[in-house]
Amino acid sequence: MIPSEDSSARKKTIEEKLKQEEETLAFIKESLEKSDQLTNNMVSILSSFESRLMKLENSIIPVHKQTETLQRLQENVDRTLSCLDHVISYYHVATETERIIKEGPSGRLEEYLGCIAKIQKAVEYFQDNNPDSPELNRVKSLFERGKESLDTEFRSLLQRYSKPVPPILILDLIGTEEELEGQEEAVLEHLPEGILQDVIRISKWLVEYGRNQDFMNVYYQIRSSQLDRSIKGLKDHLRKNSSSSGITYSPAVQNKRKDTPTKKPAKRPVFVPGTIRKAQNLLKQYSQHGLDGKKGGSSLGVLEGLEQESRGRYHGEAVGEKHGPASGKEDALDLETDTYIYCISAFVRLAQSEYQLLTYIIPEHHQKKTFDSLIQETLDNLIQEGENIVSAAKKANARHDFTSVLSIFPILRHLKLTKPEFDKVLQGTAAGTKNKLPNLITSIEATGAKALEDFADCIKNEPKETSVSKDGTVHEITSNAILFLQQLLEFQETAGAMLASQVLGNTYNIPIDPRESSSTASTYNSEFNRRLLSTYICKVLGNLQLRLTHRLKPYEDPALKAIFLHNNFNYILKSLEKSELLQLVSVTQKEPDDTYRGHIEAQIQIYQRSWLKVTDYLNDKNMPVIQGSKLKDKERQIIKEHFKGFNEGLEELCKIQKSWAIPDKRQRERIRQAQKSIVLEAYAAFLQRYGTGVNFTKNPEKYIKYSVEQVGDMIEKLFDTSA
């Protein structure tokens, strides 16, 4: 019975589900019918709306088209009126701008350029649209007049506001770093800022619209004139202040600078002018009083003073005659040299500054050419001055006035140091402009090399014989030659380069590396130049030694000849030791100091032989043998003659040699003591043997005139006229 109940329940459930589905289908059917009804209603509404919209559109479109037509007509009318106003404005341009154009741009450049722009547009309009209009000629005339006014204003502004750079500011630019430390950097303002902007504005307009490059010629002419006036102003300033103790800043240098003229210059030692005449005064002291400035003084005093006086300078007088008033000549020479060196440095700094200014005003593709023209006059003047200095040096060399020739050494050194900056400044200029400085350097090197050679030859073959001192002191030719060589120490690189420039002829017989011999003089390294200079100095010293031996003819006394050579050799040795000359000579000559010491010792030995005629009387040769208290007449006579000969010889030598001079105190004392030791030892022994206990005369005081102490005192007075 249970299965029957389950089947009945399932059937009942199925029937309920079928009933629910039928109800759902009935609901869906009813909903679809309602939806169809709503759709039909909406379609009806939309159809009605579409009908009405079409009616409205048919009414509005004609009105809209009419409105668009009216708007286009209005726009055309406005455009026409605007074009008419624009065209009419061109006819008014001449009238509106004529007064301003006539009055010029001074003080109102922007307004003036605005008027020029209006005129330019008017010209373009009439040329394009109405070339036969009389207005075209009128505005063209105004445009040309305006352009001429701008040209005039450009010139006027440059002329009115371009001023030479004050000498003090130039000296600041080329001054030493120590002197400028703590100060503001010097800046060149060639034109006031506002004026500079006006000039730049005008130049740009002239380039763009003026179609005229004449303003560039105007620019370089005016700026060139100011550059030249700046250099001349510096010259005048240096000349006016030449009587002062020195010039504040100096470019005679050994270190490099910075590139920009408005930056703080690099450290440079000061080149003090006015030194040639001072050294010549010292030279006179040497010639008149010897090494220490007075007879019997220290041998190093004046050398030390000379070193202090000449530190950082060139000095002295070379062998040769003096021509003209010495003081005025050397002062003028110092001033000319110093001024030229300053002007070279000033030119570099000012040229750098001029180029910087030029880049703001001149179009880039015209800058190098304009700069070349701008610096040409001043550069030509400087090069000509350099050539004049070279010419003067050649003339001075021809008359053996080597003091004047020395002026080219600091100039050449400075030109070489400045050349890299010169090349940088002149980069892009014409080849002829670039080559001017190298050509001048080559000319100076050749002149200097010839002067060095002529000086060496002059030492060997002095054209004019000079008298020797009666006292055998240092000869003038020796002091002159040493001073000249000492002057070269400050210019070692320069002098070496001069010699190297002529080395292809191998004047000095130095073994040369093939790579070196095939190079130009400028490529020789510093060490090779030093060897050349060392060889040259050795040559001069050799010629000097040869010359000194030829100067012995006026001396008849061999001892005085020895004193003369001793003094000169000693002077040379002390001078070498007190300076870098000894190290320089040692580059090519082994132990030159020992060589000169050997010469000195040889002359001392020759001098000591002069005392043999005194000491020979004190030896036992040909003397009698004392065997008792009683002597024979012949024996007594021999002893008398020996004492008499000694006394006369001693008196004669002391009298003669007292007036001789040995300026070196140490050498003087050394020679005195050595001779004193020799004579006193021999005299004391002789006196002991024959002076006491030997009755050879009734008047012993007649023959034994001097005690040992008295003889020593007499020898102590040798080489001293004041004793």
Side-chain angles (χ1 to χ4, degrees):
M1 292 302 290
I2 293 173
S4 173
E5 289 177 359
D6 290 340
S7 174
S8 176
R10 281 196 297 272
K11 185 184 292 185
K12 185 178 179 179
T13 302
I14 292 170
E15 288 175 355
E16 288 176 356
K17 287 182 179 180
L18 289 173
K19 185 178 179 180
Q20 288 177 356
E21 289 177 357
E22 288 175 357
E23 290 175 355
T24 301
L25 288 172
F27 177 76
I28 292 173
K29 184 176 181 180
E30 183 181 356
S31 296
L32 288 173
E33 289 175 354
K34 289 180 180 180
S35 178
D36 288 341
Q37 185 179 357
L38 290 173
T39 300
N40 292 331
N41 291 338
M42 182 59 70
V43 169
S44 176
I45 292 170
L46 290 175
S47 296
S48 175
F49 180 77
E50 182 180 9
S51 175
R52 292 176 184 178
L53 186 61
M54 289 181 63
K55 290 179 181 180
L56 179 62
E57 184 178 353
N58 291 332
S59 301
I60 293 299
I61 286 177
V63 176
H64 178 68
K65 289 182 178 179
Q66 290 176 1
T67 302
E68 283 184 343
T69 303
L70 290 174
Q71 287 177 343
R72 282 196 297 271
L73 289 174
Q74 181 64 38
E75 289 175 359
N76 290 337
V77 169
D78 291 341
R79 288 195 187 100
T80 303
L81 291 175
S82 177
C83 289
L84 287 173
D85 290 339
H86 183 67
V87 171
I88 291 171
S89 69
Y90 288 130
Y91 286 87
H92 294 161
V93 165
T95 303
E96 292 173 353
T97 60
E98 186 172 14
R99 179 181 62 82
I100 295 176
I101 295 300
K102 287 182 177 179
E103 291 177 357
S106 181
R108 51 179 177 185
L109 180 61
E110 289 302 322
E111 181 183 4
Y112 193 85
L113 290 176
C115 292
I116 291 288
K118 290 181 181 180
I119 295 172
Q120 188 175 12
K121 290 180 180 179
V123 171
E124 293 172 354
Y125 170 78
F126 288 119
Q127 285 178 336
D128 294 339
N129 299 283
N130 193 2
D132 297 328
S133 172
E135 285 296 322
L136 176 59
N137 294 330
R138 188 179 179 190
V139 291
K140 269 188 174 181
S141 175
L142 280 177
F143 182 79
E144 292 299 323
R145 185 169 183 175
K147 187 171 70 172
E148 291 174 2
S149 295
L150 286 174
D151 278 330
T152 303
E153 180 70 4
F154 184 85
R155 179 190 294 271
S156 177
L157 289 175
L158 284 176
Q159 288 179 333
R160 193 181 315 139
Y161 293 99
S162 291
K163 305 294 182 184
V165 180
I168 296 301
L169 184 52
I170 296 176
L171 292 175
D172 285 344
L173 289 175
I174 59 179
T176 63
E177 189 173 29
E178 291 91 340
E179 289 163 332
L180 295 179
E181 189 172 358
Q183 301 180 13
E184 293 184 1
E185 296 177 351
V187 178
L188 288 183
E189 186 182 69
H190 294 289
L191 296 171
E193 183 61 27
I195 302 303
L196 176 59
Q197 294 304 320
D198 285 350
V199 171
I200 293 173
R201 189 80 173 83
I202 294 173
S203 68
K204 287 182 177 179
W205 190 93
L206 291 173
V207 170
E208 187 173 357
Y209 303 109
R211 299 179 180 85
N212 185 357
Q213 298 181 4
D214 290 345
F215 79 96
M216 299 181 196
N217 297 331
V218 171
Y219 177 84
Y220 91 70
Q221 289 169 1
I222 294 175
R223 293 308 307 168
S224 175
S225 174
Q226 297 307 319
L227 176 60
D228 193 51
R229 288 177 63 190
S230 297
I231 297 295
K232 289 178 179 177
L234 177 62
K235 290 180 186 177
D236 293 339
H237 175 79
L238 296 176
R239 288 174 181 140
K240 288 177 182 177
N241 292 277
S242 62
S243 59
S244 62
S245 59
I247 303 172
T248 306
Y249 309 119
S250 172
V253 298
Q254 297 178 359
N255 299 323
K256 296 182 179 179
R257 299 178 184 272
K258 296 180 182 178
D259 297 326
T260 309
T262 58
K263 298 296 182 183
K264 189 179 295 183
K267 179 178 179 181
R268 295 177 178 271
V270 176
F271 180 86
V272 182
T275 58
I276 293 178
R277 182 161 52 85
K278 291 180 181 179
Q280 287 180 335
N281 292 336
L282 287 173
L283 175 60
K284 292 178 181 178
Q285 295 177 13
Y286 276 101
S287 301
Q288 296 169 1
H289 305 294
L291 283 170
D292 55 358
K294 62 179 182 179
K295 294 181 180 179
S298 170
S299 66
L300 303 180
V302 170
L303 282 175
E304 294 170 352
L306 177 61
E307 184 179 6
Q308 295 172 358
E309 194 70 31
S310 64
R311 188 175 291 119
R313 310 177 182 183
Y314 65 92
H315 55 275
E317 177 186 3
V319 177
E321 298 182 61
K322 297 179 182 178
H323 299 266
S327 176
K329 176 185 174 184
E330 274 78 47
D331 282 343
L333 180 61
D334 283 332
L335 179 59
E336 181 183 10
T337 301
D338 300 337
T339 300
Y340 188 71
I341 288 174
Y342 279 106
C343 288
I344 289 293
S345 290
F347 172 79
V348 174
R349 289 290 173 262
L350 293 176
Q352 288 173 338
S353 185
E354 285 291 346
Y355 186 76
Q356 186 177 8
L357 176 66
L358 177 143
T359 57
Y360 297 127
I361 299 172
I362 303 300
E364 183 176 0
H365 54 288
H366 291 289
Q367 288 174 2
K368 293 297 184 181
K369 182 178 180 182
T370 304
F371 180 69
D372 195 342
S373 301
L374 190 155
I375 63 172
Q376 202 63 230
E377 180 180 358
T378 305
L379 180 59
D380 286 344
N381 290 340
L382 286 176
I383 297 299
Q384 184 59 51
E385 287 181 33
E387 292 174 350
N388 292 341
I389 291 174
V390 171
S391 178
K394 289 179 179 179
K395 293 178 181 178
N397 186 48
R399 60 177 184 267
H400 293 165
D401 180 10
F402 296 104
T403 298
S404 300
V405 178
L406 284 172
S407 64
I408 67 175
F409 282 75
I411 291 175
L412 177 59
R413 180 176 67 181
H414 187 62
L415 289 178
K416 284 193 167 186
L417 289 171
T418 312
K419 187 177 182 297
E421 292 179 277
F422 240 102
D423 293 342
K424 186 173 183 179
V425 170
L426 300 183
Q427 188 177 5
T429 58
T433 303
K434 293 179 183 178
N435 292 333
K436 288 181 179 180
L437 183 67
N439 291 341
L440 178 60
I441 289 176
T442 300
S443 178
I444 295 177
E445 279 186 336
T447 302
K450 187 176 188 309
L452 291 175
E453 283 301 309
D454 289 351
F455 175 78
D457 293 339
C458 185
I459 292 293
K460 183 178 180 180
N461 305 305
E462 188 180 0
K464 180 182 179 181
E465 291 290 339
T466 55
S467 61
V468 294
S469 175
K470 294 180 180 180
D471 59 6
T473 190
V474 178
H475 196 275
E476 182 181 5
I477 194 174
T478 302
S479 57
N480 287 346
I482 292 299
L483 282 175
F484 184 85
L485 295 179
Q486 287 175 336
Q487 292 156 22
L488 293 183
L489 288 178
E490 186 182 354
F491 309 104
Q492 291 186 44
E493 284 296 325
T494 304
M498 286 180 174
L499 297 170
S501 68
Q502 309 298 316
V503 80
L504 292 179
N506 205 11
T507 306
Y508 306 99
N509 299 315
I510 297 178
I512 301 174
D513 189 284
R515 291 170 296 179
E516 291 179 327
S517 62
S518 63
S519 305
T520 60
S522 61
T523 62
Y524 288 106
N525 57 41
S526 177
E527 183 59 31
F528 184 70
N529 290 352
R530 185 173 171 84
R531 284 193 286 120
L532 283 177
L533 185 58
S534 174
T535 304
Y536 171 77
I537 293 175
C538 291
K539 177 181 178 180
V540 172
L541 292 176
N543 289 349
L544 176 60
Q545 185 173 341
L546 182 63
R547 188 64 184 169
L548 289 173
T549 57
H550 291 167
R551 297 302 300 136
L552 296 176
K553 294 179 182 178
Y555 296 124
E556 297 180 357
D557 192 331
L560 183 53
K561 292 180 180 180
I563 290 296
F564 172 77
L565 290 178
H566 164 273
N567 286 335
N568 283 275
F569 290 149
N570 185 63
Y571 179 90
I572 294 171
L573 176 60
K574 295 298 180 183
S575 299
L576 292 177
E577 291 176 335
K578 285 294 292 181
S579 67
E580 197 182 337
L581 282 173
L582 184 61
Q583 294 91 321
L584 197 55
V585 172
S586 299
V587 173
T588 53
Q589 182 177 332
K590 293 183 178 180
E591 300 178 347
D593 50 341
D594 289 344
T595 301
Y596 277 102
R597 288 191 183 96
H599 292 332
I600 292 170
E601 290 302 320
Q603 299 308 317
I604 291 176
Q605 292 176 11
I606 294 174
Y607 162 74
Q608 289 176 343
R609 292 173 193 164
S610 67
W611 282 83
L612 291 178
K613 65 180 181 180
V614 175
T615 56
D616 280 350
Y617 286 105
L618 303 178
N619 59 41
D620 292 334
K621 186 179 180 180
N622 299 326
M623 290 296 292
V625 178
I626 307 299
Q627 295 180 344
S629 60
K630 191 174 182 180
L631 299 175
K632 297 179 182 180
D633 291 342
K634 183 178 180 181
E635 292 174 337
R636 286 196 296 271
Q637 187 61 34
I638 291 174
I639 295 174
K640 289 179 182 180
E641 289 177 354
H642 274 252
F643 272 107
K644 181 180 180 182
F646 171 78
N647 293 334
E648 290 176 350
L650 177 65
E651 291 169 354
E652 180 185 2
L653 283 183
C654 288
K655 179 181 179 181
I656 294 174
Q657 295 184 7
K658 182 179 180 181
S659 63
W660 294 357
I662 298 180
D664 188 330
K665 182 179 180 179
R666 291 182 181 178
Q667 286 295 103
R668 185 168 62 246
E669 286 301 318
R670 178 190 169 204
I671 292 174
R672 282 175 179 169
Q673 294 306 317
Q675 201 58 50
K676 183 178 176 181
S677 176
I678 295 172
V679 175
L680 293 189
E681 183 180 353
Y683 185 60
F686 187 81
L687 197 60
Q688 185 177 6
R689 288 194 300 270
Y690 301 104
T692 58
V694 178
N695 188 13
F696 68 91
T697 179
K698 295 180 180 180
N699 301 306
E701 66 277 359
K702 179 179 179 181
Y703 296 98
I704 307 176
K705 296 175 65 174
Y706 306 105
S707 66
V708 174
E709 292 75 13
Q710 288 174 325
V711 172
D713 291 341
M714 293 175 69
I715 295 176
E716 284 288 344
K717 295 178 181 178
L718 295 177
F719 317 118
D720 188 357
T721 57
S722 62

